[in-house]
Amino acid sequence: MADVVKSVPVAHHPACRLHNAGLGHPERPERIDAVLAALRAPALAPCVAWHEATPATRAQLERVHPARYLDALQQVARSGGGALDADTIMSPASWEAALAAAGVALAAVEHGLASGTAFGALRPPGHHALADRAMGFCLLNNVVVAARHAQHLGATRVLIVDWDVHHGNGTQALVERDPSIRYVSMHQYPWYPGTGAEDERGVGNVFNVPRPPGLPRRQYVSDLLAAVEAALEGWGRPDVLLVSAGFDSLAGDPLGGFTLEPEDMAAWTTAFRERVRPAPVVSVLEGGYRLDLLAAGVQAHVRALA
């Protein structure tokens, strides 16, 4: 029997729009505008319950990032912004936006643990951020901040599934020595950032699915589901499943070469919910750089969460 459609908590914060990496940068404020507009469409009204998040606190961030790194990011913003690497640029308001984005991830976890599903509409994204280094448009690792918060709230075992077209090197680096978290990533390979080979296993808790561009979409769909099964084998049901939801893996995104369609992400979402039930499924936004595809992907994903 199909689930009754219910409202999905969608966490957001207006400060997520304030980060501005400059004219022509793919990670632009219009991304979050497109996501929020898609979720405010009249057809989705029964599926969405809006929740404005509270920015993350230092204590919450320091579960993942050292204080000296947080101080350095804050100082760059106070000094007017600047380039952290070739791709990752801070504006004066980027620190405020990063705190808001991490807070959205925290709120999504809290609402998801209470209701069974949730979506965090946030930017800047996070899965490339290392403990003490920003890269790949990412300042703070939102999904690992969320995972540590879930554990703080009593969810002992956390499964993170990352379907962004780029490997979440930061997420892997932050969890690969911790058997209480398992990480599954399907990503284009070889591609930025060059990590994510199949033999990168951590302490047996990392399950990478590197794939070339241009494969039939059915193969990407089935290969990710198989990797999730492999991650759960011998481990059991997680207490929460977190999705790093990157919509740059959709066919036509300018930063990737996968062939997926929005309905494939909906199929994954439904499969994850069924597989880990009654554990919650909570997702946070990662990449996605063609606005129409990003909007369609988010809509399909949130409908499936409902």
Side-chain angles (χ1 to χ4, degrees):
M1 181 185 295
D3 287 345
V4 175
V5 172
K6 63 182 183 64
S7 293
V8 176
V10 173
H12 66 103
H13 193 286
C16 288
R17 199 186 189 283
L18 299 178
H19 170 62
N20 192 336
L23 187 66
H25 197 283
E27 210 298 282
R28 56 203 192 275
E30 290 80 5
R31 293 184 65 241
I32 199 69
D33 296 342
V35 167
L36 297 178
L39 295 178
R40 288 179 178 134
L44 261 74
C47 301
V48 174
W50 294 97
H51 298 275
E52 185 167 322
T54 301
T57 66
R58 267 305 184 96
Q60 291 166 332
L61 296 178
E62 286 178 15
R63 296 171 186 151
V64 176
H65 298 285
R68 66 184 181 278
Y69 172 66
L70 302 175
D71 291 340
L73 288 182
Q74 189 172 14
Q75 185 55 46
V76 172
R78 283 177 175 168
S79 302
L84 305 179
D85 68 13
D87 299 314
T88 313
I89 300 155
M90 292 186 74
S91 60
S94 293
W95 177 243
E96 183 181 354
L99 291 177
V104 168
L106 295 167
V109 161
E110 292 172 1
H111 288 292
L113 290 174
S115 72
T117 60
F119 177 71
L122 60 83
R123 66 175 288 275
H127 73 154
H128 295 307
L130 299 161
D132 57 359
R133 179 186 169 195
M135 62 181 291
F137 313 163
C138 302
L139 305 177
L140 301 173
N141 197 300
N142 301 310
V143 77
V144 179
V145 169
R148 294 306 181 196
H149 190 53
Q151 291 182 317
H152 178 74
L153 296 174
T156 303
R157 292 186 302 181
V158 179
L159 175 63
I160 301 173
V161 180
D162 188 337
W163 70 50
D164 191 283
V165 80
H166 304 96
H167 179 242
N169 61 299
T171 303
Q172 178 175 309
L174 285 164
V175 307
E176 65 186 351
R177 298 298 165 199
D178 182 356
S180 73
I181 299 181
R182 292 199 167 189
Y183 178 59
V184 177
S185 174
M186 188 175 70
H187 45 271
Q188 187 170 324
Y189 186 89
W191 200 235
Y192 181 89
T195 54
E198 198 164 355
D199 61 1
E200 296 172 21
R201 293 298 320 281
V203 290
N205 64 329
V206 173
F207 299 81
N208 283 317
V209 188
R211 291 294 180 266
L215 295 177
R217 49 191 277 225
R218 292 188 305 277
Q219 183 169 344
Y220 296 120
V221 172
S222 62
D223 287 356
L224 180 61
L225 292 175
V228 170
E229 285 298 323
L232 294 176
E233 186 177 354
W235 196 53
R237 198 188 324 274
D239 298 304
V240 62
L241 189 158
L242 302 180
V243 179
S244 268
F247 296 93
D248 45 7
S249 48
L250 289 170
D253 188 278
L255 298 191
F258 278 6
T259 56
L260 292 157
E261 298 293 337
E263 53 264 37
D264 298 322
M265 285 153 180
W268 277 334
T269 305
T270 299
F272 297 162
R273 291 184 64 200
E274 292 174 350
R275 181 63 179 84
V276 303
R277 196 184 307 272
V281 175
V282 178
S283 62
V284 297
L285 183 64
E286 298 286 358
Y289 303 101
R290 206 180 99 181
L291 299 184
D292 59 334
L293 295 177
L294 175 60
V298 167
Q299 282 188 331
H301 175 49
V302 171
R303 281 185 190 276
L305 287 174

